[in-house]
Amino acid sequence: MSSLRNHRVIIASLFLPTTAVLGESSPPTPDIYAREVGASATQDLGGRPPAFKHASSRSLGSTPAPLKSIVDDLKSRAITPISTPPSESNPFSKFASLAPSPTGKGSISPPSIQNIDASLAKFQPDPVHPIRLQRRSSSSKPPRYPSLTRSYTIAPSESYYFAPNIHCNGGLKNAVESVKERLTSKLWVGTLGNSTDAYSTELRASVDRRMKEKHCSLPVWIPDAEFESCYDEFCHQVLWPCLHYAVPDAPKTKLFFESAAFKQYVAVNKRFAEAIESVWTEGDVVWINDYHLMLLPLLLRKSTRVPALACAPIGFFMHVAFPSSEIFRCLSVREQLLRGMLGADLVGFQTASYARHFRQTVSRILAVEALPKGIQVEYGIPGGAREGHGRFVDVGVFPMGIDVGALRERRREPDVSYWVQLLRQRYAGMMIVVGRDKLDEIQGVRHKLEAFELFLKKWPEYQGKVILLQVALQTTESNELAAGGVSDVVARINSAFSTLTYQPVVFLHTQEVTFSQYLALLTVADAFLVTSLREGMALRTHEFVECQDGRHRPLILSEFTGSYSYSGFRSCIAVNPYDTHGTAKAIRQALTMSDEEALSRWEDLHNHVVTQTAQTFVTSFLTRCLRANTEHTTQTDLDSVPTLNTTLLLPRYKHSPRRILLLDFEGTLWRPDMSRAGLLAPFVPPEGAVELLNKFSANKRNEVWLLSGLPVKSLEQVAAKAPEVGIVAENGCFAKIPVQNGKGGVWISMVANLNLTWKGLCVEILNYFTERTPGSFVEEREASVVWRFWTGPTDDSSDRQWARRQAAEAQNHIFDSLGERYGLRILPGSNSFLVLPNNISRSTAVGAILHPGGPAHSPRSSVPDLDVPVNGGGGETGFVFAVGSDEKLLRRLNELDNAETVSTSGKGTDAKWKLDAEDVGDVMWLFANCP
């Protein structure tokens, strides 16, 4: 994260965290304000009243009201549970009379108004806020952890004020806020989320200036009609269903397949590009978020207004799901969307399955090479270092989390304890199942209700003892209808099972529940139920797990959520939301689970929540983005790397008391025959390379190591002819210590403690692809497997393109089926790829050689651990000379002050020097002939 301190991060999201609202905020009436706040709270706000007028969160009268039944308390919610939120006061306010008086006189002293108002502000938009949107962003959630004191901006001389944007991506906002002390410079770019056609030019200029000064934000001004067509039509009637496997059935498919709103979608993305171009400076990192801006990365790459953006670090993160290629290919604009995303250096997803779907979709639709690490794009950056040579786009998995520390702080507020006490007293003797979902078909609310109904029918002993308290996120009537008759199901359940003192389903809107009340619900819940039909990371489940610290009640989670794909969340009770009977059984299992089992499951869930936090998400994504950009830009400019200067290095080599030489075999000292016949022929050690190695090793000041990918069986022949040379075989799987004074010469296995049973499964997969790829064959080695998918001419023929396509499919198949299970990695080449265990490489083998405690260390190797940069020399070793094409090794050796690295790959490199492979022999003999 320290590297990010030197960069400003431009965060592009459709909605800004803060919006500007026309008009002036009206304070509450004096009597209500004085009664709820008091003089001290007024002083805390700088003498200003709050910018929002909220209904009181509870009754504060001094005389307790008589106890009501639950039906009387909440009957208005049971009749029309999903209609537009009524204007009456919060239903939780009716619980106030139940709380014991801390003073013993029947009155309750409310918590500080700052805490209450901060919670209310996130769930109750000001009535004068001109909403222009038809629904909320897919992953936008109410900001979870507002600061304990709110900042209100009311300027008498200007006809607007700033307020929290209820449409913003709350998970993203909180994640960024969680690292605000380390992410010192940032700029949000997005829309205000309300109608802006009425804003004059002067007003827009004022908003621009004050948003940048006070909220580090840059508004993007988009005409209302253009925005609504983009957002309501294309984003939510085309992209949203497609990304969530909800392709509409005929005959209602015309809008989906032939949407004219794509023109507006392109226009909105172009406006974002223009806004970023106007503020971008050298060193800025651009972070683009979610499916609303899928075209933006490539638009910035192709910028003619700011050509330097071609090499800028750009990351794109998809907050929602990504479907299989069979679904995404239905879109008529599929290629434009995919190419737009591939303009980024890094494309991030919530889960490995979404990343796999993206790689496969790109491979099958764009016919480009998709590897486990990313996508090899055929076009380079216009005007950039790799123009005309293609570029590589990293694809990574970055699970979003919550700010655990901030949530714990909120849970300690008096307001939360207050509502926990009231809820426990109101529902004493009952078990509470809590849910919180958006009211659209994807969230599976109807499936949840039907499962709860079946649960009450199948186990009637729970009637009158269990309630489902469902909180519904803000939505529209059209989405409510699309949710599949949720209101009818609620009415049916309540009419069938209600009594005078019992109502099985309580349905609330987020506008009616403050965040403190929501946390209280999570705290007292006996189970939390999520039945999404498709979803990214369900962060509400993370909040539930953290709020259950002390109670440890179980989580019931849909298998189709991104959260479930992580091993830490496999300790939940998994359900298939389409299986109503199975979900009903899961509810009963959760309510009857023993405390010991519930605790064990909760500990696994909690370990994931506190590990995959919001801070981890932000830092890992931005760090990876910067690294990917460095690999894609600085390394690609081969002209900037100087050719090896023997005049400078020979004197240093000559006068060094100890020298370690790390020499690549294939492609450097030896140019193997890559034809099919040459690859299948028995290995014969090249005489010239063996003679050079013996010349180097004859000098007692030298320790020579040969780095190779060949198997031990082949390299034994080299060892026999050059016994004083150390050898690394199979790319780091095995190492032979050089013979010195009659000692050494034994092979050491670096994979002795690893499970190698994966090889048989891998070979079986590759045999399948071999049958489909003419001329290909499999090489099974002791600890690795190589597939030679092409052995013909290196021209770009149709047969070779087919072979490369098959290789990409094979790599993805191996990576998805065996990679995580056995801990494997894949090294792709131009005509072959290698499968071997994780954490095994030439770099790790060299670390074992140079480290004093390494298994392959010899007395001459005295360089400290390569993980720690060496300052001021390397002890006995005066010179480390590495010649080869392994970029990871060369980059790691650069950390040593006494190392000289030479790349022979002919590609972009981090090495200090470059050398043509054809000149290696002549240059190496110059060094070998030195005393």
Side-chain angles (χ1 to χ4, degrees):
M1 191 68 186
S2 59
S3 62
L4 293 176
R5 297 182 185 274
N6 303 323
H7 299 269
R8 182 179 65 165
V9 180
I10 299 177
I11 308 167
S13 183
L14 188 63
F15 301 110
L16 294 172
T18 305
T19 186
V21 183
L22 290 177
E24 293 190 1
S25 176
S26 302
T29 55
D31 58 327
I32 296 178
Y33 184 70
R35 183 174 60 182
E36 288 193 354
V37 182
S40 61
T42 307
Q43 295 172 358
D44 291 340
L45 294 174
R48 298 190 304 272
F52 292 90
K53 177 180 178 180
H54 299 298
S56 172
S57 61
R58 52 185 175 270
S59 301
L60 299 173
S62 58
T63 304
L67 181 66
K68 297 181 179 181
S69 71
I70 297 176
V71 173
D72 289 333
D73 248 356
L74 303 168
K75 62 183 179 181
S76 62
R77 299 299 184 277
I79 298 173
T80 57
I82 321 176
S83 60
T84 302
S87 59
E88 57 185 285
S89 61
N90 192 300
F92 280 79
S93 64
K94 301 180 182 180
F95 294 158
S97 60
L98 298 175
S101 170
T103 60
K105 298 181 182 179
S107 61
I108 297 176
S109 176
S112 169
I113 188 63
Q114 295 99 316
N115 302 339
I116 303 173
D117 190 58
S119 299
L120 287 167
K122 303 302 178 184
F123 290 88
Q124 297 183 356
D126 191 277
V128 303
H129 190 203
I131 305 298
R132 78 174 178 186
L133 306 172
Q134 297 304 307
R135 63 170 284 173
R136 294 181 50 168
S137 171
S138 63
S139 59
S140 302
K141 300 178 179 65
R144 290 175 172 79
Y145 320 129
S147 58
L148 300 182
T149 58
R150 291 188 55 203
S151 174
Y152 299 96
T153 306
I154 307 174
S157 60
E158 298 179 353
S159 56
Y160 67 92
Y161 61 95
F162 294 137
N165 194 336
I166 63 173
H167 304 292
C168 81
N169 186 326
L172 175 63
K173 173 185 178 296
N174 293 322
V176 173
E177 286 298 312
S178 69
V179 294
K180 61 183 178 182
E181 295 181 356
R182 290 176 288 176
L183 196 63
T184 55
S185 181
K186 63 179 181 293
L187 178 68
W188 290 87
V189 178
T191 67
L192 298 178
N194 53 24
S195 178
T196 58
D197 280 357
Y199 286 51
S200 64
T201 303
E202 294 77 12
L203 184 58
R204 294 187 182 193
S206 175
V207 170
D208 285 343
R209 174 178 53 81
R210 296 180 60 201
M211 284 286 280
K212 184 175 182 179
E213 293 174 354
K214 298 181 179 296
H215 300 285
C216 299
S217 298
L218 174 66
V220 179
W221 302 99
I222 301 174
D224 291 350
E226 181 179 294
F227 184 90
E228 290 169 4
S229 178
C230 163
Y231 185 75
D232 298 331
E233 293 182 25
F234 189 77
C235 288
H236 285 142
Q237 296 183 48
V238 178
L239 281 183
W240 172 264
C242 174
L243 296 173
H244 292 84
Y245 290 80
V247 177
D249 296 329
K252 301 177 181 179
T253 57
K254 183 174 181 180
L255 179 62
F256 183 86
F257 295 107
E258 301 178 7
S259 176
F262 182 67
K263 295 180 179 179
Q264 283 69 43
Y265 183 82
V266 174
V268 168
N269 277 256
K270 286 182 176 179
R271 291 183 185 274
F272 269 81
E274 292 169 357
I276 293 174
E277 289 171 350
S278 67
V279 296
W280 184 86
T281 58
E282 192 72 32
D284 287 352
V285 180
V286 182
W287 183 5
I288 302 168
N289 291 274
D290 229 354
Y291 63 101
H292 314 98
L293 303 173
M294 294 172 71
L295 303 177
L296 184 54
L298 188 58
L299 290 174
L300 293 175
R301 285 283 182 231
K302 292 185 174 181
S303 173
T304 55
R305 180 180 174 187
V306 186
L309 274 167
C311 296
I314 299 176
F316 178 89
F317 188 79
M318 180 70 79
H319 290 261
V320 298
F322 196 91
S324 70
S325 59
E326 293 303 314
I327 299 294
F328 197 87
R329 66 188 300 190
C330 297
L331 290 173
S332 61
V333 292
R334 59 194 185 183
E335 292 193 18
Q336 295 94 314
L337 296 174
L338 293 175
R339 292 188 184 276
M341 295 173 66
L342 292 177
D345 293 301
L346 170 66
V347 179
F349 296 90
Q350 299 275 17
T351 72
S353 62
Y354 300 156
R356 181 179 70 252
H357 291 162
F358 175 73
R359 295 195 309 267
Q360 293 174 344
T361 300
V362 169
S363 175
R364 293 169 182 172
I365 293 178
L366 299 183
V368 298
E369 186 177 5
L371 305 174
K373 187 182 176 182
I375 309 295
Q376 182 64 50
V377 183
E378 75 277 12
Y379 51 88
I381 302 172
R386 298 202 65 175
E387 182 175 7
H389 300 285
R391 53 190 298 268
F392 192 82
V393 179
D394 280 20
V395 177
V397 178
F398 307 90
M400 182 177 277
I402 63 173
D403 187 349
V404 177
L407 182 59
R408 289 174 179 171
E409 186 177 353
R410 287 301 307 269
R411 288 186 62 213
R412 289 193 291 265
E413 293 180 9
D415 202 21
V416 177
S417 301
Y418 175 88
W419 289 113
V420 168
Q421 187 180 14
L422 294 186
L423 287 168
R424 284 176 175 167
Q425 186 165 352
R426 163 58 81 181
Y427 295 110
M430 289 191 179
M431 289 180 282
I432 306 174
V433 179
V434 175
R436 177 177 179 267
D437 305 276
K438 186 188 295 252
L439 274 185
D440 59 28
E441 190 173 2
I442 304 300
Q443 297 296 318
V445 179
R446 179 177 59 84
H447 300 73
K448 178 189 302 187
L449 293 168
E450 290 175 345
F452 185 71
E453 179 183 24
L454 180 62
F455 163 76
L456 294 177
K457 289 180 179 179
K458 198 169 184 178
W459 292 281
E461 64 270 21
Y462 287 100
Q463 296 177 16
K465 299 180 181 179
V466 180
I467 67 166
L468 172 62
L469 208 159
Q470 176 67 41
V471 179
L473 274 69
Q474 178 187 18
T475 185
T476 65
E477 294 185 7
S478 61
N479 287 325
E480 291 161 7
L481 294 174
V486 172
S487 57
D488 295 337
V489 179
V490 174
R492 184 176 72 232
I493 297 173
N494 284 339
S495 63
F497 301 104
S498 291
T499 66
L500 290 175
T501 58
Y502 171 69
Q503 174 179 305
V505 179
V506 179
F507 214 99
L508 305 172
H509 282 263
T510 52
Q511 291 93 331
E512 304 168 307
V513 181
T514 69
F515 190 64
S516 297
Q517 294 165 350
Y518 169 63
L519 293 182
L521 283 175
L522 298 183
T523 303
V524 303
D526 294 284
F528 191 81
L529 181 56
V530 177
T531 55
S532 302
L533 307 184
R534 192 71 56 175
E535 188 175 0
M537 293 299 287
L539 295 185
R540 57 193 182 280
T541 61
H542 297 227
E543 295 166 340
F544 168 75
V545 171
E546 178 58 33
C547 287
Q548 283 293 307
D549 186 8
R551 297 195 69 235
H552 314 132
R553 298 317 302 163
L555 167 67
I556 307 172
L557 183 63
S558 167
E559 299 172 356
F560 300 107
T561 61
S563 299
Y564 180 72
S565 66
Y566 289 94
S567 57
F569 266 78
R570 296 298 172 88
S571 294
C572 68
I573 302 176
V575 296
N576 177 354
Y578 297 99
D579 179 7
T580 305
H581 289 269
T583 307
K585 290 180 182 178
I587 296 174
R588 183 175 183 272
Q589 179 185 354
L591 298 178
T592 58
M593 184 176 293
S594 66
D595 292 340
E596 293 76 13
E597 181 183 355
L599 174 60
S600 176
R601 288 173 177 262
W602 179 86
E603 287 175 344
D604 292 339
L605 295 169
H606 192 252
N607 286 337
H608 176 89
V609 170
V610 298
T611 302
Q612 298 294 341
T613 62
Q615 293 88 338
T616 302
F617 163 70
V618 175
T619 55
S620 61
F621 181 85
L622 292 178
T623 303
R624 174 80 175 271
C625 182
L626 282 171
R627 186 172 73 246
N629 176 261
T630 300
E631 295 173 355
H632 300 163
T633 54
T634 58
Q635 292 184 9
T636 58
D637 190 3
L638 187 61
D639 294 336
S640 64
V641 181
T643 301
L644 179 64
N645 190 330
T646 55
T647 304
L648 290 177
L649 289 189
L650 278 174
R652 183 180 170 192
Y653 172 87
K654 183 177 181 179
H655 294 95
S656 297
R658 289 287 183 270
R659 303 182 290 233
I660 294 182
L661 285 77
L662 306 169
L663 308 176
D664 268 6
F665 192 32
E666 304 94 312
T668 300
L669 298 185
W670 172 53
R671 304 293 295 276
D673 181 2
M674 300 305 294
S675 67
R676 181 179 177 84
L679 291 170
L680 293 175
F683 172 73
V684 178
E687 293 297 332
V690 172
E691 183 182 357
L692 177 65
L693 292 171
N694 283 324
K695 181 67 174 178
F696 271 122
S697 61
N699 190 324
K700 299 306 179 183
R701 295 158 65 185
N702 293 341
E703 179 171 345
V704 185
W705 284 86
L706 184 67
L707 311 181
S708 174
L710 295 177
V712 172
K713 182 178 180 180
S714 298
L715 293 173
E716 281 281 13
Q717 301 179 52
V718 178
K721 296 185 177 183
E724 295 186 353
V725 175
I727 300 177
V728 172
E730 289 197 38
N731 293 285
C733 295
F734 302 93
K736 185 191 80 68
I737 298 177
V739 176
Q740 295 179 13
N741 301 323
K743 299 180 180 180
V746 297
W747 285 95
I748 298 174
S749 174
M750 303 292 185
V751 295
N753 298 323
L754 299 181
N755 180 3
L756 299 179
T757 57
W758 58 268
K759 287 182 11 183
L761 300 172
C762 182
V763 170
E764 185 178 346
I765 294 172
L766 291 176
N767 284 337
Y768 165 78
F769 283 96
T770 299
E771 294 175 357
R772 303 172 62 190
T773 311
S776 63
F777 62 94
V778 181
E779 292 182 19
E780 183 178 0
R781 300 173 176 175
E782 291 188 48
S784 59
V785 178
V786 177
W787 190 43
R788 307 280 184 183
F789 57 83
W790 182 253
T791 56
T794 57
D795 59 342
D796 197 21
S797 63
S798 59
D799 288 341
R800 191 183 185 208
Q801 290 180 5
W802 168 257
R804 290 175 66 88
R805 189 87 56 81
Q806 292 300 105
E809 290 278 350
Q811 290 180 59
N812 283 316
H813 193 74
I814 294 171
F815 187 81
D816 296 334
S817 59
L818 304 176
E820 183 178 358
R821 181 180 175 187
Y822 291 99
L824 306 178
R825 68 191 187 103
I826 300 176
L827 300 180
S830 58
N831 297 311
S832 64
F833 66 79
L834 170 70
V835 185
L836 73 167
N838 265 333
N839 303 319
I840 297 295
S841 66
R842 299 187 189 193
S843 178
T844 57
V846 170
I849 293 168
L850 298 182
H851 193 280
H857 179 71
S858 62
R860 295 186 187 180
S861 305
S862 307
V863 180
D865 186 4
L866 287 180
D867 288 331
V868 181
V870 180
N871 296 317
E876 290 184 8
T877 303
F879 193 73
V880 177
F881 192 36
V883 183
S885 57
D886 189 316
E887 279 300 315
K888 184 177 181 180
L889 173 61
L890 298 177
R891 189 162 46 244
R892 191 178 183 193
L893 288 173
N894 280 339
E895 298 176 7
L896 297 173
D897 291 342
N898 56 350
E900 295 294 339
T901 54
V902 183
S903 173
T904 60
S905 65
K907 302 177 182 178
T909 180
D910 278 334
K912 298 178 181 179
W913 308 94
K914 66 182 177 182
L915 187 63
D916 194 293
E918 296 179 355
D919 300 330
V920 170
D922 294 338
V923 174
M924 289 298 99
W925 275 106
L926 290 176
F927 284 90
N929 289 324
C930 285

